[in-house]
């Protein structure tokens, strides 16, 4: 393109250039397709910067008013979808500045005083990630509310608890759902923590060394909702660990989502039949008319690849980068946007599925008693009632399980005579502990699966999420 003075080269940085960049150079250099998403943040940063420049007397009030009016117009154009994003102007910062120049003329050239694209992009991106962390945390709390509601309905619905995906001890469905309430609670807190740590304003670091103009960094920080300005100009333009931290929180959260998604897939198979999902969250097969597939759960299970991939992507971009800014860092945005888009959709779809699912109480209760799941209760009874050392009780119980297995029956179906053949002291009240309901009701230790404990945790979370 041709700049305003009629010379070949770039209108905003082409002063020392006499020829146009190669087409390939332009293509590899341009980021506007990605960073146009930062338009709102860029305008907010420019408005705060211009106001501060005027307040400190670095630019005149008349120029500032023209700049604010022009930025307002640009905002209107962007919202209306009439703004033309130009690849030859590289990025969002130069697209906005070029349009400002068209709209208000020479005064536009004063906006970039005491500023560089390096602190500008550091600011814009930080504002975006800060917002994304806030959104993720609040979305996760909505998911927790949905889980809490379902847990309250099912605090005493028996189901098998598993280890190694083998029946281990009976629990309740509500207790199982509450495990995820805890996980998503920590995920939300991780986003809060990341947000709090990143809440320092890099604007005013300029290219890398600060500026000789008498700027007021505290004022721009305040205007943009930051706790304080960043304290080192090199760090301000070089660091992207705020995004890495947000992506780490995202990757951990996506891992949790994938586990719940996997369980939904398992619970939905006819072999388990623990839950069903309605037409709203399942799909059919184009060839097998009987199918009802949990595609949303499977996709959530898979999204962790994208989200963790983004963390690895940006970590590798930042690895070994010398201070201060390097164009490598322009590659920070695409993976971050992609990860948060995927995470947002995943959390929303998971919330939808939790609201949608119907627990099959009968199937869960039947499975809760399978696999000799009350064996630990028998061992505990032998310790409590007969004073056996736990190891010995474990051994006796193991033999009872073997006997039941040989007879093809459940532990609770073994006769007293059978049991007494293994341990003479066993009495009839042993049967009180051999049902899944009794097993669950007895686990009243703090955080245990007894419905009373589960309800106490539900009440605590309801309070904290109110
Ligand atoms: N588009 C660039 C980015 O996203 C903005 C900063 C460019 N700075 C520079 N010195 N070329 O990183």
């Amino acid at each position: 393109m041709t700049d305003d003075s009629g010379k070949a080269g770039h209108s905003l940085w082409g002063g020392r250039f006499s020829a146009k960049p190669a087409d390939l150079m332009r293509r590899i250099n341009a980021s506007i397709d990605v960073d146009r998403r930062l338009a709102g943040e860029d305008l907010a940063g420019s408005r705060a910067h211009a106001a501060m420049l005027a307040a400190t007397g670095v630019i005149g009030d008349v120029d500032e008013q023209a700049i604010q009016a022009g930025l307002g117009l640009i905002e209107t154009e962007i919202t209306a979808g009439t703004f033309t994003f130009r690849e030859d102007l590289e990025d969002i910062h130069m697209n906005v500045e070029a349009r400002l120049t068209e709209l208000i003329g020479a005064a536009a050239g004063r906006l970039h005083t005491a500023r560089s694209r390096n602190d500008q992009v550091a600011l814009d991106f930080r504002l975006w990630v800060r917002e994304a962390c806030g959104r993720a945390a609040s979305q996760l709390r909505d998911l927790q509310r949905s889980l809490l509601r379902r847990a309250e309905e099912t605090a005493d619905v028996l189901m098998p608890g598993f280890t190694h995906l083998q029946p281990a001890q009976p629990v309740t469905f509500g207790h199982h759902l509450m495990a995820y309430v805890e996980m998503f609670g920590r995920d939300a807190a991780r986003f809060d923590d990341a947000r709090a740590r990143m809440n320092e304003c890099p604007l005013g670091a300029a290219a890398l060394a600060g500026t000789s103009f008498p700027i007021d960094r505290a004022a721009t920080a305040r205007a943009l909702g930051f706790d304080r300005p960043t304290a080192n100009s090199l760090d301000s333009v070089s660091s992207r660990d705020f995004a890495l931290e947000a992506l780490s929180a995202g990757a951990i959260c996506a891992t949790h989502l994938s586990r719940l998604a996997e369980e939904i897939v398992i619970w939905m198979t006819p072999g388990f039949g623990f839950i069903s999902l309605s037409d709203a969250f399942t799909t059919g097969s184009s060839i097998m008319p009987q199918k009802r597939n949990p595609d949303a759960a499977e996709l959530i299970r898979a999204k962790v690849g994208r989200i963790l991939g983004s963390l690895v992507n940006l970590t590798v971009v930042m690895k070994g980068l010398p201070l201060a800014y390097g164009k490598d860092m322009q590659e920070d945005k695409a993976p971050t946007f992609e990860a948060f888009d995927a995470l947002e959709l995943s959390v929303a779809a998971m919330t939808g599925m939790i609201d949608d699912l119907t627990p099959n109480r009968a199937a869960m209760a039947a499975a809760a008693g399978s696999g000799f799941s009350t064996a630990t209760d028998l061992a505990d009874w032998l310790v409590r009632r007969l004073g056996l050392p736990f190891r010995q009780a474990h051994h006796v119980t193991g033999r009872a399980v073997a006997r039941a297995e040989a007879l093809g029956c459940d532990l609770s179906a073994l006769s007293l005579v059978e049991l007494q053949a293994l341990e003479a002291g066993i009495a009839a009240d042993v049967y009180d502990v051999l049902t899944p309901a009794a097993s669950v009701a007895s686990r009243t230790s703090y955080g245990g699966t007894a419905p009373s404990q589960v309800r106490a945790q539900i009440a605590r979370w309801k309070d904290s999420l109110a």
Side-chain angles (χ1 to χ4, degrees), residues 318-329:
M318 298 309 295
K319 189 247 166 231
L321 263 194
L323 306 191
Y325 179 83
K327 199 62 173 263
D328 314 50
M329 285 155 71

Side-chain angles (χ1 to χ4, degrees), residues 55 82 87 103 109 116 138 154 180 246 263 346 353 375 379 381 387 392 403 441 452-453:
T82 57
E87 192 199 53
L103 288 170
S116 152
S138 102
T154 56
Y180 286 101
E263 299 208 294
S346 297
M353 277 193 293
W381 185 93
Q392 193 187 333
R403 189 69 193 131
S452 57
Q453 275 301 321

Side-chain angles (χ1 to χ4, degrees), residues 378-379 382 386 388-403 411 419 421-424 426:
L378 173 55
L382 294 170
L386 306 184
L388 297 193
F390 183 76
R391 275 295 149 235
Q392 193 187 333
H394 185 287
H395 184 75
V396 171
T397 305
R399 290 175 58 214
V401 167
R403 189 69 193 131
L411 275 180
L419 288 169
L422 301 169
E423 169 51 58
I426 294 182

Side-chain angles (χ1 to χ4, degrees), residues 37-98:
R37 270 181 87 162
L38 296 177
E41 286 78 6
D42 199 69
L43 290 166
S46 287
R47 296 190 132 197
H49 185 63
M52 180 279 291
L53 291 178
T56 52
V58 175
I59 65 173
D61 290 341
V62 174
D63 285 335
E64 197 247 336
Q65 279 151 23
I67 289 169
Q68 298 292 2
L71 293 172
L73 273 175
I74 292 172
E75 187 157 32
T76 313
E77 292 177 355
I78 288 174
T79 315
T82 57
F83 187 93
T84 313
F85 293 97
R86 283 167 45 188
E87 192 199 53
D88 60 288
L89 290 169
E90 276 182 46
D91 58 23
I92 185 63
H93 323 297
M94 297 205 290
N95 268 271
V96 168
E97 192 179 328

Side-chain angles (χ1 to χ4, degrees), residues 31 35 91 93 117-118 121 325 327 329-330 332-333:
S31 58
D35 62 27
D91 58 23
H93 323 297
R117 275 190 292 157
N118 296 349
V121 74
Y325 179 83
K327 199 62 173 263
M329 285 155 71
Q330 178 164 283
D332 57 0
K333 292 166 211 71

Side-chain angles (χ1 to χ4, degrees), residues 173-222:
F173 192 58
H175 188 54
H176 196 110
L177 294 180
M178 288 303 290
Y180 286 101
V181 169
E182 296 289 336
M183 292 184 242
F184 294 130
R186 289 192 297 275
D187 290 338
R190 265 185 282 275
F191 283 115
D192 291 342
D193 292 348
R195 190 187 186 288
R197 199 170 357 268
M198 79 179 69
N199 205 26
E200 296 184 340
C201 184
L203 188 63
L208 73 164
T211 177
S212 58
F213 291 99
I215 60 169
D216 182 351
R217 293 196 56 206
T220 41
R222 223 177 303 115

Side-chain angles (χ1 to χ4, degrees), residues 200-415:
E200 296 184 340
C201 184
L203 188 63
L208 73 164
T211 177
S212 58
F213 291 99
I215 60 169
D216 182 351
R217 293 196 56 206
T220 41
R222 223 177 303 115
L224 293 162
F226 288 102
D227 295 331
R228 64 191 80 85
T230 49
N232 181 292
S233 62
L234 293 166
D235 171 51
S236 310
V237 295
S238 306
S239 294
R240 294 294 183 268
D241 56 279
F242 64 87
L244 292 176
E245 192 173 351
L247 289 170
S248 309
I252 295 171
C253 176
T255 306
H256 289 158
L257 287 166
S258 79
R259 297 182 73 173
L260 180 50
E262 165 71 352
E263 299 208 294
I264 289 174
V265 170
I266 292 172
W267 294 340
M268 283 263 306
T269 63
F272 275 72
F274 286 4
I275 61 164
S276 55
L277 288 173
S278 79
D279 294 358
F281 280 94
T282 48
T283 59
S285 156
S286 55
I287 176 169
M288 296 167 283
Q290 85 284 9
K291 294 280 278 187
R292 180 186 285 286
N293 297 325
D295 294 37
E298 295 170 278
L299 287 162
I300 293 170
R301 188 172 61 182
K303 293 281 185 204
V304 64
R306 221 180 254 262
I307 296 166
L308 176 60
S310 293
L311 169 62
V312 174
N313 181 334
L314 184 55
T315 304
V316 176
V317 167
M318 298 309 295
K319 189 247 166 231
L321 263 194
L323 306 191
Y325 179 83
K327 199 62 173 263
D328 314 50
M329 285 155 71
Q330 178 164 283
E331 293 287 317
D332 57 0
K333 292 166 211 71
T336 308
F337 293 162
E338 191 185 5
F340 275 94
D341 288 346
L343 187 70
E344 250 175 67
L345 189 54
S346 297
V347 178
M350 182 57 84
T351 308
M353 277 193 293
I354 295 302
D355 290 340
D356 183 78
L357 68 81
T358 308
N360 183 343
R361 292 162 185 255
M364 283 196 256
S370 71
F372 314 107
S373 66
T374 54
T376 316
D377 299 275
L378 173 55
D380 287 351
W381 185 93
L382 294 170
V383 170
R384 222 171 16 242
R385 280 291 307 274
L386 306 184
L388 297 193
F390 183 76
R391 275 295 149 235
Q392 193 187 333
H394 185 287
H395 184 75
V396 171
T397 305
R399 290 175 58 214
V401 167
R403 189 69 193 131
E405 199 166 33
L407 295 174
C409 72
D410 221 18
L411 275 180
S412 59
L414 286 177
S415 69

